[in-house]
Amino acid sequence: MRAVPKRPAAKGSSPKRRAFSKAEAAEFYRRLAASRPIPKTELEFINPFTLLIAVVLSAQATDVGVNKATPALFAIADTPQKMLALGEERLTEMIRTIGLFRTKARNIIALSRMLIEHHGGTVPRDREALEKLPGVGRKTANVVLNVAFGEPTIAVDTHIFRVANRTGIAPGKTPFEVETGLERLTPAEYKLGAHHWLILHGRYVCKARKPDCPVCVVADLCRYGAKTAPSEMPAELIRARAEAVTPAPLTETSVSRPLGRRARRRV
């Protein structure tokens, strides 16, 4: 009896990967937590209002770029009242280096007015109220609730969306699907810092173009089938990183980067 040949996978499809168990998810976060014992946002802020403004400005922009513009802004406008007094025209000039600065300036002035008129000039600790503010969506609301008020929310940005899907810990077609999956699988003791661990892992290790799998502390748990430089990741290295109680913190300068054109010519 002849074996029935396997039907080739449809174009663009990928084989279904084994889902993370709760134990694997707990180990996943344990290692990320060990590599960054004090998870925190890289956005600079003074109070809940300036945090809200920084997160609004960070949409389709980098934290580094936002942090270059906000110190001068927050020095003179760290409350909704002061932001209104600053005015849209001057605000626009102060954030000109940030993408979509005109739209963001208009939204910031409008949300500052709403905070004064509807919330007594304070940032509300309520998702629905936050999402009613101009320029504020679910992701921004989650960041503010987590960072300003200590709520165990998980804000899914492009980095977290990529990490969740690439590693297989919480795959989803939309940010909300990924958020729901992470909420379900993330152990309670890690939920408060989960957003920061995942975003920093995506920013510095599990990068979009080429993930730095050789320095990844969760490489052996990851379901990604195209890990970079597998020959540089012997089992001993993976086990050593996995078993390390306090592995060295990862920074942007400690991970490998591709050589530039001139450097490649000299090699």
Side-chain angles (χ1 to χ4, degrees), residues 250-261:
L250 298 173
T251 63
E252 190 169 16
T253 56
S254 71
V255 297
S256 61
R257 294 185 180 182
L259 294 173
R261 291 183 179 178

Side-chain angles (χ1 to χ4, degrees), residues 59-174:
Q60 300 184 47
T62 65
D63 288 2
V64 173
V66 172
N67 288 340
K68 289 180 179 179
T70 52
L73 172 63
F74 294 159
I76 59 176
D78 60 352
T79 67
Q81 294 84 352
K82 292 178 182 178
M83 192 66 73
L84 279 183
L86 182 66
E88 184 176 337
E89 184 176 349
R90 192 175 175 193
L91 172 59
T92 300
E93 290 302 313
M94 296 190 76
I95 63 172
R96 184 173 289 275
T97 57
I98 301 174
L100 304 176
F101 62 93
R102 289 190 177 87
T103 299
K104 290 176 181 178
R106 184 165 57 251
N107 285 336
I108 288 171
I109 293 299
L111 74 80
S112 296
R113 184 175 293 109
M114 282 189 66
L115 288 176
I116 294 172
E117 294 177 353
H118 300 286
H119 303 286
T122 61
V123 176
R125 187 174 181 170
D126 178 80
R127 183 195 303 281
E128 185 178 354
L130 285 168
E131 290 187 23
K132 288 181 179 179
L133 298 173
V136 177
R138 185 176 183 86
K139 184 197 76 173
T140 297
N142 276 341
V143 174
V144 173
L145 290 172
N146 179 271
V147 177
F149 302 113
E151 298 285 347
T153 54
I154 301 177
V156 178
D157 70 345
T158 55
H159 294 297
I160 295 180
F161 187 79
R162 178 177 66 255
V163 170
N165 276 286
R166 181 182 278 167
T167 64
I169 190 170
K173 295 181 179 180
T174 66

